[in-house]
Amino acid sequence: MPGRSTMEAIYLLRRVMEQYRMAQQDLHLIFIDLEKAYDRVPREILWKALEKKGVRVAYIRAIQDMYDRVSTSVRTQGGESDDFPITIGLHQGSTLSPYLFTLILDVLTEQIQEIAPRCMLFADDIVLLGESREELNERLETWRRALETHGFRLSRSKSEYMECKFNKRRRVSNSEVKIGDHIIPQVTRFKYLGSVIQDDGEIEGDVNHRIQAGWMKWRKASGVLCDAKVPIKLKGKFYRTAVRPAILYGTECWAVKSQHENKVGVAEMRMLRWMCVKTRQDKIRNEAIRERVGVTPIVEKMVENRLRWFGHVERRPVDSVVRRVDQMERRQTIRGRGRPKKTIREVIKKDLEINGLDRSMVGDTIGLKDGIGNTCCDFIYKVSSLSPAKHFVIHSRKALLKGLSPAENRSIPPLKYEYFYGLLRDFPDLSFTINGGIASIDEVSCYLIVH
């Protein structure tokens, strides 16, 4: 999946599971792990893959020089061994190695890759989807032959199989999912790219895992967060930077319920009260604790992340995989009794209604008259999160150019100056025009001469 983030892979997998669950159709997944993936890459295949992808000869030679006559040694309790050459594999710890590995894997499997999300690759994490065990076995055997004939090896112990039984009519299958003669163990949960995937499509396991990850980060930073000499505002900033991102990872893809929000909110309040050395017996309201620390409720940050992710998905081309997954046609079935399962799209729709947002309110270019302050930035954030709008025309009288008197500033149009660069910094994916685009001292001087 070149050019995509871990969040897109997680989103795709959760959305596919939602589609199959709504259609009441079983889904079979296998998570493939490669044994010592980086250490098994043949150098000859690496050079051929670079040539096939059209990499410049100068770059190929530079990479070859990096791998030429490489040697290493092993340090043990008895001393250090003699140097010995390394003629296979990629460099461990090199920032170039993940790109090279992805490129090699893409070249070796380009003939057997299916369109995502039927087949998803993210570095050495491979997920294959099927509607039956027999179909999954065929794909798995094809991938095994393609990779193991070139020196790689599929891990028999770490690869795992998951069966999502969304169809109420149970079909008995006597076949087993195998790699060669080895039966792949079946699991009900799997941690995929840091997010816990459940066979029933729910998120309870991932919610608990995110809370545990937050507490682990909190304990590592407890030397700062529990130090009475550290200012409380600094503790809040440290919490927002080091602890809260660990809790929020993957929440953009949650079909969250109120019970999940309460669970995450309670965990955060325990952390904040501990930082302030306060307990519930002190009878201090949560709002007072948050104001003292300077931390907004984590539930609001979850909504913000979902809307930002929704805007990212909506800005992608229509033929991109994150857009296609929403148009997947599943077999229509008669809905069973009871309330339907909540989906990610339903949660986002509710977020839009609560925040007073509507997809029909924006276009490709947005014009507004406002100061470049919090109000304007909030509006830009909401609109860009909601729609494909990428260009904003802003008429602002708060832009001042240094070196001119206030009277001279009032006599010229608003200027594209430091506020413009602030907008570019805060919204790197958007473009802005400030009142026609005066951008330099020369343009200002010309205007003053004319007038």
Side-chain angles (χ1 to χ4, degrees):
M1 298 175 62
R4 297 181 174 88
S5 64
T6 58
M7 204 54 56
E8 292 201 11
I10 297 171
Y11 175 80
L12 281 175
L13 190 54
R14 290 197 182 277
R15 284 294 291 154
V16 169
M17 294 180 70
E18 285 183 353
Q19 297 280 2
Y20 274 83
R21 185 171 62 179
M22 287 189 296
Q24 298 181 13
Q25 188 173 357
D26 290 344
L27 178 64
H28 301 260
L29 308 94
I30 182 166
F31 302 91
I32 301 176
D33 185 82
L34 299 177
E35 287 185 1
K36 301 179 180 178
Y38 281 20
D39 296 335
R40 291 180 177 271
V41 176
R43 300 282 172 80
E44 297 77 11
I45 295 179
L46 173 58
W47 314 138
K48 292 179 181 178
L50 291 173
E51 292 178 1
K52 191 170 184 179
K53 286 297 184 179
V55 179
R56 294 182 180 180
V57 177
Y59 294 157
I60 297 178
R61 289 177 179 174
I63 297 173
Q64 287 176 338
D65 290 341
M66 294 169 54
Y67 285 86
D68 185 32
R69 290 177 293 183
V70 177
S71 62
T72 188
S73 61
V74 178
R75 182 178 298 173
T76 64
Q77 293 181 351
E80 189 170 325
S81 68
D82 297 333
D83 292 344
F84 55 90
I86 301 294
T87 59
I88 192 174
L90 300 175
H91 290 167
Q92 294 288 344
S94 173
T95 56
L96 188 61
S97 296
Y99 173 78
L100 295 176
F101 181 83
T102 303
L103 188 146
I104 293 170
L105 201 64
D106 188 54
V107 170
L108 294 180
T109 61
E110 60 183 355
Q111 300 298 329
I112 61 175
Q113 285 186 31
E114 298 180 74
I115 188 171
R118 308 293 296 179
C119 166
M120 292 188 291
L121 283 76
F122 196 94
D124 59 340
D125 292 298
I126 306 171
V127 182
L128 302 180
L129 281 70
E131 297 182 358
S132 65
R133 293 186 179 182
E134 293 76 13
E135 178 185 353
L136 201 61
N137 269 324
E138 293 179 4
R139 293 180 181 174
L140 183 58
E141 180 62 22
T142 303
W143 277 77
R144 186 192 68 80
R145 290 197 301 265
L147 293 176
E148 295 192 351
T149 53
H150 292 91
F152 293 95
R153 178 176 172 80
L154 274 61
S155 175
R156 271 64 173 172
S157 58
K158 294 183 179 180
S159 298
E160 295 184 334
Y161 161 69
M162 179 182 293
E163 181 180 7
C164 303
K165 299 179 180 180
F166 298 137
N167 191 347
K168 295 182 180 180
R169 297 180 180 179
R170 300 300 184 195
R171 293 188 303 173
V172 179
S173 177
N174 297 324
S175 62
E176 299 285 349
V177 179
K178 300 180 179 180
I179 297 180
D181 296 330
H182 182 83
I183 299 177
I184 303 301
Q186 183 174 344
V187 296
T188 58
R189 293 184 179 183
F190 185 84
K191 187 189 293 186
Y192 177 63
L193 300 178
S195 184
V196 177
I197 306 297
Q198 298 180 203
D199 60 352
D200 57 358
E202 296 295 337
I203 63 171
E204 279 80 5
D206 199 26
V207 172
N208 295 330
H209 176 64
R210 286 295 101 208
I211 294 175
Q212 293 174 3
W215 275 112
M216 289 180 63
K217 290 290 184 180
W218 194 92
R219 291 187 182 97
K220 290 180 180 179
S222 59
V224 176
L225 299 177
C226 297
D227 191 347
K229 298 179 181 179
V230 178
I232 193 65
K233 289 292 184 182
L234 182 58
K235 290 183 180 180
K237 188 174 183 179
F238 195 90
Y239 167 81
R240 296 194 303 269
T241 305
V243 179
R244 190 165 64 183
I247 305 176
L248 292 175
Y249 176 78
T251 58
E252 298 91 334
C253 309
W254 284 359
V256 67
K257 303 175 184 177
S258 58
Q259 62 190 32
H260 303 140
E261 293 178 338
N262 294 336
K263 202 169 190 178
V264 176
V266 168
E268 183 188 53
M269 280 308 306
R270 288 185 62 190
M271 297 179 188
L272 298 183
R273 287 183 178 274
W274 204 332
M275 289 161 48
C276 297
V277 197
K278 301 294 180 182
T279 64
R280 297 187 64 181
Q281 295 180 353
D282 296 319
K283 297 183 179 180
I284 301 177
R285 298 181 65 86
N286 292 344
E287 293 77 7
I289 296 290
R290 293 187 183 279
E291 184 177 356
R292 182 180 302 180
V293 182
V295 175
T296 58
I298 195 169
V299 175
E300 295 183 7
K301 299 301 294 184
M302 291 169 61
V303 174
E304 181 180 327
N305 286 354
R306 282 197 298 268
L307 291 178
R308 183 186 295 113
W309 176 253
F310 175 69
H312 166 75
V313 173
E314 290 297 308
R315 284 191 293 269
R316 295 299 297 273
V318 180
D319 58 345
S320 63
V321 63
V322 290
R323 297 288 298 277
R324 289 200 315 266
V325 71
D326 293 326
Q327 281 77 40
M328 288 179 59
E329 294 184 1
R330 303 254 40 92
R331 179 172 54 86
Q332 297 295 324
T333 58
I334 300 176
R335 203 188 80 184
R337 299 176 63 182
R339 182 177 180 179
K341 299 293 185 180
K342 182 175 284 189
T343 64
I344 299 172
R345 286 286 168 168
E346 291 177 4
V347 175
I348 293 177
K349 182 179 179 181
K350 182 180 178 181
D351 293 338
L352 295 175
E353 293 176 354
I354 293 175
N355 289 275
L357 299 175
D358 185 3
R359 296 179 63 175
S360 62
M361 66 184 289
V362 295
D364 294 331
T365 301
I366 303 299
L368 60 148
K369 186 175 183 180
D370 192 10
I372 307 180
N374 292 334
T375 305
C376 178
C377 292
D378 290 343
F379 181 85
I380 291 173
Y381 167 73
K382 289 183 179 180
V383 172
S384 61
S385 300
L386 173 65
S387 73
K390 295 183 179 180
H391 184 203
F392 290 79
V393 180
I394 302 177
H395 305 277
S396 173
R397 291 287 170 183
K398 290 187 177 181
L400 299 177
L401 189 64
K402 294 181 180 179
L404 298 179
S405 66
E408 289 174 326
N409 267 301
R410 286 194 296 270
S411 64
I412 60 176
L415 305 174
K416 187 193 297 183
Y417 190 53
E418 66 244 20
Y419 295 101
F420 170 74
Y421 297 107
L423 289 172
L424 289 182
R425 180 195 63 232
D426 296 336
F427 304 96
D429 298 332
L430 306 178
S431 59
F432 299 92
T433 300
I434 306 296
N435 198 44
I438 293 181
S440 66
I441 287 285
D442 295 335
E443 295 181 30
V444 174
S445 300
C446 293
Y447 183 89
L448 293 177
I449 293 173
V450 173
H451 292 78

